[in-house]
Amino acid sequence: MPFVLAALIKILYQIVTILYTLVFDIPRPPEFIMVQNPPSIPTLTLVWLVGGMMGSKVMIDWHNLGYSILALKLGQTHLLVNIMKRYVHRHSCQVFFTLLL
């Protein structure tokens, strides 16, 4: 299966499971939602959206930048790597707290 198709299927599965967990498995809105990165897509967007709807503050635990892993597979100058860099940067500026290890 080509990489892009496999990635798309994985992202769709993650959207369903992450949304279900955040919306239905958590009994009340938490004060904080902490997410580990990577994976960046779709996790950062979903947690940011649900956190905003619930009034929760979002914290990101950056183990590494998601685009750096993608760059190992596709190369530093690949279009998807550049899109991912912008995606990660945008979300890093919108959260309550970031933790770098």
Side-chain angles (χ1 to χ4, degrees):
M1 184 180 304
F3 171 74
V4 174
L5 182 59
L8 181 61
I9 291 169
K10 182 178 179 180
I11 289 168
L12 291 173
Y13 174 76
Q14 288 175 331
I15 288 170
V16 171
T17 57
I18 292 168
L19 279 177
Y20 183 86
T21 300
L22 289 172
V23 174
F24 297 110
D25 282 349
I26 299 174
R28 59 182 172 79
E31 183 177 355
F32 299 99
I33 299 174
M34 185 169 191
V35 62
Q36 180 179 332
N37 182 63
S40 302
I41 297 175
T43 309
L44 297 180
T45 297
L46 295 175
V47 170
W48 178 75
L49 287 171
V50 172
M53 291 183 331
M54 293 180 155
S56 303
K57 296 175 181 80
V58 176
M59 299 187 300
I60 301 175
D61 180 3
W62 298 96
H63 284 259
N64 56 45
L65 301 173
Y67 66 84
S68 64
I69 295 171
L70 188 61
L72 293 174
K73 183 170 185 71
L74 301 177
Q76 289 287 341
T77 59
H78 194 279
L79 176 63
L80 291 177
V81 174
N82 289 322
I83 291 169
M84 185 78 157
K85 281 181 185 179
R86 286 190 289 267
Y87 174 86
V88 168
H89 178 71
R90 189 185 91 207
H91 284 293
S92 68
C93 296
Q94 295 175 328
V95 298
F96 173 73
F97 182 79
T98 61
L99 175 63
L100 300 170
L101 293 177

